[in-house]
Amino acid sequence: MRMSHKKDRKYTPSPKKELSPKTRQLAISLVINTIILIFVYYGSMAINVPIISVIVTWGYLIILGGFLVAYIAYNRAFTRKELTVEMLPADWSYEKKQQYINDGKERMEKSRWMLSVIIPFLIVIMVDVLYLFVWTGWLENLFK
């Protein structure tokens, strides 16, 4: 019995899937928003005026928190995600059940733009936390 090795297998790449225009637009806005937010954040930190740093940091956290709450509230805490007609009350009509499910899908689609704000703020805050606690706290001491 012969065991196959990786070099015996032929690699066939999967066909590339085209991105929809909405997904492409979301990706571009994610990159642009992230770059802008990083420049604003670290630009304000480079000024070395403590009150500006505090205002920008807390402003970023408040904006992120506000968008997160709005996104979760608008999507009704994602309770309609992966919901089927059988899961809904039996006394509802089929049309009402379908409308309820479609409303959840429409809300997810309509609120998708909020992700282009939430994700860049998360990235900026995550990068800053990594810089503060990993780079300055651990790695700098490692290289001294």
Side-chain angles (χ1 to χ4, degrees), residues 43-56:
S44 69
M45 298 300 159
I47 294 174
N48 277 340
V49 177
I51 191 68
I52 292 176
S53 300
V54 169
I55 290 171
V56 170

Side-chain angles (χ1 to χ4, degrees), residues 69-80:
V69 168
Y71 184 71
I72 292 169
Y74 184 76
N75 286 303
R76 305 206 175 167
F78 308 106
T79 56
R80 297 181 184 186

Side-chain angles (χ1 to χ4, degrees), residues 82-94 96-98 100-101:
E82 298 180 13
L83 197 61
T84 62
V85 176
E86 295 82 27
M87 295 175 170
L88 297 173
D91 59 334
W92 286 10
S93 68
Y94 180 78
K96 185 175 181 179
K97 290 178 182 181
Q98 199 58 45
Y100 188 83
I101 292 171

Side-chain angles (χ1 to χ4, degrees), residues 117-128:
V117 176
I118 293 170
I119 293 172
F121 274 105
L122 281 173
I123 290 172
V124 171
I125 291 169
M126 183 180 66
V127 165
D128 192 45

Side-chain angles (χ1 to χ4, degrees), residues 31-51:
V31 170
I32 291 171
N33 289 346
T34 303
I35 291 170
I36 290 170
L37 290 174
I38 284 176
F39 275 116
V40 169
Y41 188 80
Y42 284 105
S44 69
M45 298 300 159
I47 294 174
N48 277 340
V49 177
I51 191 68

Side-chain angles (χ1 to χ4, degrees), residues 5 8 14 26 49 67 120:
H5 296 340
D8 292 341
S14 60
L26 181 66
V49 177
F67 269 97

